[in-house]
Amino acid sequence: MSVPRRTSAPAADLPPAADQRTREDHAVGDPPANGGRRPPGTRRKTDRSGTDQPETRVRGHEDGRGAAPARLRFLRMVGFKSFAERTEIEFGAGISAVIGPNGSGKSNLADALRWTLGEQGRSLRIRRAEDVIFAGSERRHAIGMADVTLLLDNTDGLLPLDFAEVALGRRLFRSGENDYLVNRQRVRHRDLVDLLDAANIAENAFLFIGQGMVDQALALRPEERRSLFEEAAGVRRHERRRHQAEAQLAEAEVNLARVRDVLAELRPQARRLAQQVEQEEARRSAADELAAALVTAAHARWHASSRSMTETAERLARARAAVASAQQALRETEAQASALSARLDERAEMEREARETLDLVAASLTAARLGQGRAESTLESLGRDRTRLAAERGQLEARIGESRRVAATPIPGPDAAEEAELAEAERALAEAIAELAQLRIAAREAGDREAAIRRAEAARAADLEAARRRAGEARRA
């Protein structure tokens, strides 16, 4: 689109008025048309990469006195074709004109309006649906979404919605997901077309008037202008509805014919099914009777089983009581057997101890008898020693008496032989006295040993008597 062409403004919605104009400077991604200087109406903005990018925001003039209010109030674009950055345009009352050099995005602005109103690509100058998304440039990467929103004035109720302003939006992702929005609520494409068709906006060929369309309309013959007037008067909308209704009616007639054919095919089956239903009802009645009989028999069996179960429970209770008493008697018998076994064990232990005691007593008796024999032999030896000692004592006493008599005899005079004999006698006397003392000591010791032997014999006799008594008691037990 070249200068001084004017882009397609919504002529059907914007009535001619005062000279209201807005200027779009340039689209983001396109080179500025004034040699790199920022035109008025724009401000600089830094994106995430640090590059200084302009954010376009155009406002219409406010001096349109006497002009009709604008139907289109606001337009916002993000990622649509050359509008990579967020671009907002506000439309004032009257006529708004977009002027710019070639490549500044004027046609893209008209395409954004068509695309938001549900255009599917016939006049958007694209091959694929995702071609409307900004594809990137030397200074910017590609964007994954295109989003366009326009705000319409609905104070006169042009659109059948209870809102003074209606926001129409469309959003497309590179994944192919396509969203239509009405007041930020997702709707179907068909719902959007029906909404716009109620206001004679959907599929209106003269909603966007391009270059040459006015001259072409003036050059038409009168019979050819009929479609133009019908479209402007809204008759084509009703014709489209009539065609849709006729198509739906034809489809309904075809469906009705198919239904009739199906009914014709199903009538014999219906008769067969009726017969089958009667047979099924008969079977169901027989089945109900059989079920009632089965229930009655089951009741009888249940009552009989209940009685049998009661009797069995009583017998089981009696058997359990008998088993409990038998178990109690068995436990008592086992306790008595355990007591008897313990007593037998005690008696066996006592018998074993008695036998051991008897063996000990027998061994002690044998040892006592041996000791008694040894003691008797010792006593006999001691008696012989005592007799011998008594004889020797008598001899010594006789010798002592003899020596004393000799000593008492007056000594006539010193005689060497007698003195020697006297000395010898005195020495013999001293030895006899010492031997007598030793004999006395030996006799005393022999008496002590004899008393100890007698005491041992008495103790052994007492132990033997006690062992005999215990053996007798054990045998009696």
Side-chain angles (χ1 to χ4, degrees):
M1 186 176 294
S2 61
V3 180
R5 297 178 183 176
R6 292 190 177 180
T7 58
S8 54
D13 292 341
L14 300 177
D19 53 349
Q20 302 296 325
R21 293 185 179 182
T22 60
R23 180 180 301 273
E24 181 191 33
D25 304 304
H26 61 278
V28 175
D30 297 335
N34 53 359
R37 294 176 298 171
R38 284 187 298 164
T42 63
R43 62 172 181 260
R44 306 299 293 176
K45 183 179 74 173
T46 303
D47 59 5
R48 294 181 179 177
S49 61
T51 307
D52 207 14
Q53 298 290 344
E55 179 185 8
T56 304
R57 184 178 180 86
V58 182
R59 297 177 59 87
H61 294 285
E62 302 296 339
D63 56 352
R65 292 183 297 272
R71 176 72 64 183
L72 178 61
R73 290 189 175 183
F74 180 80
L75 177 64
R76 182 179 68 247
M77 296 170 290
V78 179
F80 183 82
K81 288 191 174 182
S82 60
F83 298 95
E85 290 290 337
R86 181 188 181 97
T87 303
E88 298 178 355
I89 301 176
E90 296 181 4
F91 297 91
I95 298 175
S96 298
V98 180
I99 302 173
N102 292 337
S104 61
K106 300 184 299 298
S107 299
N108 294 339
L109 181 62
D111 292 342
L113 294 173
R114 290 191 181 94
W115 185 69
T116 308
L117 294 177
E119 181 65 38
Q120 297 297 322
R122 291 192 297 264
S123 60
L124 296 179
R125 301 173 295 140
I126 57 175
R127 295 182 180 179
R128 298 176 302 174
E130 58 268 22
D131 290 342
V132 300
I133 303 176
F134 179 70
S137 63
E138 296 179 355
R139 296 176 296 175
R140 267 190 83 88
H141 295 291
I143 297 178
M145 179 191 70
D147 186 8
V148 179
T149 302
L150 58 89
L151 184 65
L152 300 178
D153 185 6
N154 193 39
T155 54
D156 55 354
L158 177 65
L159 297 175
L161 296 176
D162 295 334
F163 296 97
E165 293 180 347
V166 178
L168 304 179
R170 185 174 179 180
R171 186 178 301 154
L172 176 65
F173 298 89
R174 289 195 182 275
S175 60
E177 184 180 357
N178 195 4
D179 296 336
Y180 295 92
L181 305 175
V182 175
N183 287 341
R184 298 182 180 180
Q185 300 294 327
R186 296 180 61 180
V187 297
R188 299 177 303 171
H189 177 260
R190 183 62 186 174
D191 298 334
L192 178 63
V193 172
D194 293 341
L195 178 64
L196 297 177
D197 192 21
N200 195 20
I201 298 177
E203 298 181 3
N204 191 338
F206 302 101
L207 182 62
F208 296 92
I209 300 176
Q211 184 180 7
M213 290 185 64
V214 177
D215 296 336
Q216 184 180 359
L218 294 177
L220 292 176
R221 291 178 297 178
E223 59 272 13
E224 295 176 348
R225 295 179 183 175
R226 179 177 179 178
S227 61
L228 175 62
F229 292 114
E230 288 179 352
E231 185 70 31
V235 178
R236 296 292 297 275
R237 177 184 61 180
H238 298 290
E239 288 183 356
R240 287 194 299 270
R241 293 181 178 178
R242 186 189 69 182
H243 292 321
Q244 292 177 0
E246 289 176 353
Q248 293 176 358
L249 182 61
E251 184 179 1
E253 290 179 353
V254 172
N255 293 334
L256 181 60
R258 292 182 61 187
V259 169
R260 287 173 180 171
D261 295 337
V262 172
L263 288 175
E265 294 177 359
L266 293 179
R267 282 194 183 96
Q269 298 180 9
R271 287 192 292 271
R272 289 194 301 272
L273 290 175
Q275 296 176 359
Q276 293 177 2
V277 167
E278 293 177 358
Q279 296 175 0
E280 183 66 23
E281 288 179 353
R283 283 196 296 270
R284 286 183 179 178
S285 61
D288 293 339
E289 293 176 358
L290 178 60
L294 291 175
V295 168
T296 303
H299 274 293
R301 287 196 300 270
W302 183 80
H303 287 297
S305 300
S306 178
R307 288 193 298 271
S308 177
M309 185 175 65
T310 303
E311 295 174 357
T312 304
E314 293 176 355
R315 289 196 299 271
L316 180 61
R318 290 194 296 271
R320 285 179 177 175
V323 168
S325 61
Q327 289 179 350
Q328 181 66 25
L330 178 61
R331 285 194 293 270
E332 293 176 357
T333 305
E334 289 178 350
Q336 293 176 1
S338 299
L340 291 175
S341 178
R343 290 176 61 186
L344 288 176
D345 292 339
E346 291 178 358
R347 290 183 179 181
E349 183 67 20
M350 291 173 62
E351 185 177 359
R352 185 182 61 80
E353 292 178 356
R355 287 178 181 176
E356 291 178 355
T357 304
L358 184 60
D359 294 338
L360 292 174
V361 168
S364 299
L365 182 59
T366 303
R369 288 174 179 176
L370 292 176
Q372 185 177 3
R374 286 194 298 270
E376 289 177 355
S377 62
T378 303
L379 287 175
E380 290 176 359
S381 176
L382 290 174
R384 288 191 300 269
D385 292 340
R386 181 179 295 177
T387 303
R388 183 178 57 81
L389 291 174
E392 290 179 357
R393 181 178 181 184
Q395 293 176 2
L396 288 175
E397 288 179 354
R399 290 176 62 183
I400 291 171
E402 184 65 25
S403 297
R404 285 177 179 176
R405 283 192 304 271
V406 172
T409 302
I411 299 174
D415 189 1
E418 292 180 358
E419 289 180 0
E421 186 178 357
L422 180 61
E424 183 67 23
E426 290 178 355
R427 187 171 53 252
L429 180 61
E431 291 177 359
I433 292 172
E435 187 177 358
L436 180 60
Q438 290 178 358
L439 289 175
R440 287 177 179 174
I441 293 172
R444 192 181 300 112
E445 291 178 355
D448 294 338
R449 284 197 299 270
E450 185 177 0
I453 290 170
R454 288 177 180 174
R455 286 195 299 274
E457 289 178 355
R460 288 175 182 175
D463 293 339
L464 181 60
E465 185 64 24
R468 287 176 180 174
R469 285 197 302 272
R470 285 198 297 271
E473 292 176 359
R475 287 192 184 95
R476 287 193 300 273

